[in-house]
Amino acid sequence: FSMSHAGREVTVTIDDVSVLGVYAELEALSDETDWKPVRDDLADLARKLGLTESERRSYLELILGRN
């Protein structure tokens, strides 16, 4: 779904990945000069949503690293 936060349009995706669990992904558009404020706004939104852990690896990397 889409929502507005800090004046930005944010896409929130909930993924239920078998064998891994449920993940939330927050995305907003930025350009080369604007990415730090966008990152900070997304981190603020994540905190407000109660999302306390960050995962940068892909689902495939997580699955392959389980063993």
Side-chain angles (χ1 to χ4, degrees), residues 1-64:
F1 64 91
S2 293
M3 63 180 292
S4 180
H5 177 71
R8 301 182 192 284
E9 189 68 19
V10 178
T11 301
V12 180
T13 305
I14 308 297
D15 295 328
D16 188 356
V17 183
S18 63
V19 308
L20 292 178
V22 178
Y23 290 82
E25 182 176 356
L26 308 177
E27 294 180 292
L29 294 178
S30 70
D31 59 34
E32 292 175 3
T33 61
D34 179 358
W35 66 271
K36 287 182 182 180
V38 173
R39 177 199 59 198
D40 294 343
D41 289 343
L42 289 175
D44 178 61
L45 177 58
R47 279 189 299 277
K48 288 179 178 178
L49 294 173
L51 304 174
T52 59
E53 296 180 37
S54 177
E55 179 56 68
R56 306 224 7 119
R57 293 172 292 172
S58 71
Y59 297 140
L60 178 59
E61 288 173 307
L62 291 169
I63 290 169
L64 293 175

